[in-house]
Amino acid sequence: MTKKRTASHDGAQSRFAKSPFATPRIAKPTFAKSLFAEARSAKPPFARPLSARPLFVRSTGRRIVVGLALAGLFVVPLAGGARADTLAAPDTVAAADARGRGTLVDVVDLRTVSAAEAARALADDGWDAGAIHDDVVLRRLVYRTVDAHGRPSTATGLLALPVHGERRLRVVSYTHGTELYRGDAPSTSDETWGIAPALTYASAGFAVTMPDYLGQGEGPGPHPWMDIPSETTASLDLLRAAREFIGRHGHTTAREVYVSGFSQGASAALGLARALQSGADPWFRIGAIAPISGAYDFGGVQLPALLGRELADKPSVLYSALLLVAYNRLHHIYDTPADVFRKRYADTIEGLLDGSHRDEEILKATPDSLDELLTEEGRALLTRPTGALAAALRETDAVCTDWRPRVPVRLYVAAGDDEAAPANTAHCRAAMRAKGVDVRVTRFGADVDHAGSNRLGTAAALRWFRELAGRAG
């Protein structure tokens, strides 16, 4: 595909406007037509470079929410931009399938990013912009899925398409890392970090899906953090919604899906790959797997590293709190927060981690060490998980152990990662090799941290996916 000239921001017409995937350009590089009543911010979404540790440092840009009523979801605007989400009455998985899991509810045009703008934004934030070739159109898809209990729900996700994409598009599913604030999910992010993988892959010619996950972006309810089954269904149903949208515009998708993801999303990527290989969808099948810096053995590797202070203190506090709060919502692992959290934080920690608070607020309101956060009972629970927590961790940690991938697998890890213990990757590789899987591991040096591994891993995975796509023809 050759690079074509695009319109300048004065709105002059160009050939790209004839593409069925293109959205109108706007005078400012802010998000265009959306469900929001007004512009998200006067600041361009790529204006500020991210910090070296973007996982817990985010923007303070304002978000505005308007009322929606989609597929049984009622979103009520509250004072100060907060929101209250309630679901329609519980239903069965069969009824959800009858309603059409993965069908589109709404499509929101966000913006078109020129190749030059994408290259500049990625380079400014430390990403590899060498493969940037085409303009990229970004859209938010609202689609039907099921919640963590199998009841009908909706979710949102980002769809990124090359403006001059080929008639038959190869597909990449990328699942993102931990976001404390729901607005930092891919389809609602206003920072380069949140959409960099989408720009990277789509500008190279791929159709890219990035699920927000349940309870993030514009989805209802709290986010079930590190819940592999719901991350899998959200990812799979977004692929289905994307195929529906692409088909409406005269294009088709290849059957093979190249799957990648980072940190939390690395385990989610493996969950999606496992589902695709098992025949969870009649059209899509897994093509290749390239997760980056995952906590694949949370119970056996990640928790001991957190508790043993082998990793950075603040991320350890936040990951431990997320695990306890999110798993308690699904699995009831404690009776009251005071059982596991010290008095100073017991009354506030669950509310802080409901997705409505920005990272800066959470960072200020949480301690700097696990000793300040956890009671003796809380530490004991994480040290020797039992009962419901142990069962939930076994399910989470099965992404590398309970199946045998029949497609190529590459794992990416950084020796300098102080948030996801590198031993997680060694565990995953050993588990798969024990089943006869030829897993290749790319190791980045001690000077590469957690965020850096995402930047380097995404560039490496893109090169590999392009090589595989070239072989497939």
Side-chain angles (χ1 to χ4, degrees):
M1 224 169 2
T2 58
K3 185 176 179 181
K4 300 181 181 180
R5 290 180 59 85
T6 60
S8 65
H9 283 248
D10 63 5
Q13 189 173 4
S14 73
R15 281 182 287 173
F16 101 91
K18 298 178 181 179
S19 166
F21 293 146
T23 61
R25 288 192 181 276
I26 51 180
K28 296 181 181 179
T30 53
F31 286 94
K33 296 181 294 182
S34 75
L35 294 179
F36 299 133
E38 55 183 307
R40 188 182 310 273
S41 170
K43 171 184 66 61
F46 309 127
R48 187 177 64 261
L50 299 175
S51 69
R53 199 179 292 278
L55 187 59
F56 299 118
V57 182
R58 288 285 184 256
S59 78
T60 56
R62 181 169 51 96
R63 296 182 74 243
I64 300 166
V65 178
V66 297
L68 298 173
L70 299 174
L73 164 65
F74 299 93
V75 183
V76 183
L78 301 176
R83 57 189 288 153
D85 299 337
T86 58
L87 281 172
D91 207 342
T92 64
V93 175
D97 289 337
R99 289 184 179 185
R101 267 186 52 191
T103 57
L104 278 170
V105 175
D106 199 8
V107 179
V108 183
D109 291 340
L110 298 175
R111 62 165 302 191
T112 296
V113 183
S114 72
E117 183 184 5
R120 182 170 59 251
L122 291 172
D124 287 348
D125 194 45
W127 297 79
D128 186 343
I132 296 300
H133 179 77
D134 197 359
D135 302 342
V136 176
V137 59
L138 303 175
R139 290 182 172 91
R140 180 186 308 122
L141 303 188
V142 185
Y143 60 98
R144 301 186 194 277
T145 188
V146 290
D147 68 13
H149 302 286
R151 300 172 299 199
S153 186
T154 58
T156 55
L158 184 68
L159 173 63
L161 296 170
V163 168
H164 306 102
E166 297 179 359
R167 185 66 59 184
R168 179 176 176 268
L169 291 165
R170 298 194 178 276
V171 181
V172 171
S173 171
Y174 177 96
T175 39
H176 68 83
T178 298
E179 298 293 356
L180 302 176
Y181 174 55
R182 65 164 57 240
D184 288 328
S187 83
T188 49
S189 175
D190 63 354
E191 293 186 335
T192 304
W193 174 264
I195 63 171
L199 295 178
T200 299
Y201 287 114
S203 187
F206 292 93
V208 186
T209 59
M210 291 184 66
D212 293 335
Y213 305 140
L214 296 179
Q216 295 202 319
E218 294 296 325
H223 170 53
W225 185 72
M226 289 298 292
D227 179 55
I228 304 302
S230 67
E231 291 168 357
T232 298
T233 54
S235 301
L236 178 59
D237 291 341
L238 178 59
L239 283 171
R240 293 164 170 164
R243 183 180 178 226
E244 179 184 343
F245 176 84
I246 290 169
R248 290 180 183 179
H249 291 81
H251 288 241
T252 60
T253 61
R255 298 192 69 184
E256 295 78 13
V257 180
Y258 302 130
V259 173
S260 185
F262 166 66
S263 194
Q264 174 187 355
S267 293
L270 285 165
L272 173 62
R274 180 176 57 188
L276 290 172
Q277 181 170 290
S278 70
D281 185 82
W283 175 257
F284 289 115
R285 61 192 182 197
I286 186 64
I289 311 167
I292 305 164
S293 299
Y296 311 113
D297 187 9
F298 212 103
V301 171
Q302 187 71 6
L303 279 179
L306 295 175
L307 296 169
R309 302 196 67 178
E310 298 174 23
L311 304 175
D313 286 338
K314 195 68 175 188
S316 295
V317 166
L318 295 172
Y319 287 137
S320 298
L322 276 169
L323 181 74
L324 290 169
V325 170
Y327 276 37
N328 191 61
R329 290 179 184 136
L330 289 181
H331 308 291
H332 187 71
I333 61 176
Y334 58 78
D335 291 329
T336 69
D339 292 339
V340 294
F341 298 110
R342 293 193 179 275
K343 183 177 180 180
R344 180 177 177 182
Y345 305 103
D347 292 337
T348 59
I349 192 69
E350 291 184 333
L352 276 174
L353 299 178
D354 66 358
S356 68
H357 299 272
R358 293 186 179 275
D359 292 352
E360 291 85 349
E361 181 182 355
I362 296 172
L363 289 169
K364 291 177 182 178
T366 50
D368 293 327
S369 72
L370 285 174
D371 288 340
E372 298 174 82
L373 176 72
L374 299 175
T375 64
E376 291 184 6
E377 181 179 344
R379 178 176 279 274
L381 180 61
L382 296 182
T383 301
R384 294 177 297 278
T386 59
L389 177 58
L393 287 171
R394 283 194 296 271
E395 181 177 56
T396 299
D397 295 343
V399 291
C400 293
T401 61
D402 74 346
W403 69 301
R404 183 184 185 279
R406 297 191 296 268
V407 298
V409 181
R410 292 191 179 181
L411 305 176
Y412 300 90
V413 63
D417 194 331
D418 61 357
E419 294 184 21
N424 280 290
T425 298
H427 162 82
C428 187
R429 175 179 180 268
M432 288 190 173
R433 286 207 163 185
K435 294 181 180 294
V437 182
D438 182 18
V439 180
R440 297 189 182 184
V441 177
T442 297
R443 296 178 177 86
F444 306 119
D447 59 335
V448 178
D449 63 6
H450 192 57
S453 71
N454 192 22
R455 294 180 172 98
L456 295 177
T458 296
L462 170 62
R463 291 191 292 271
W464 184 43
F465 290 165
R466 293 180 78 178
E467 177 185 340
L468 293 173
R471 291 179 192 168

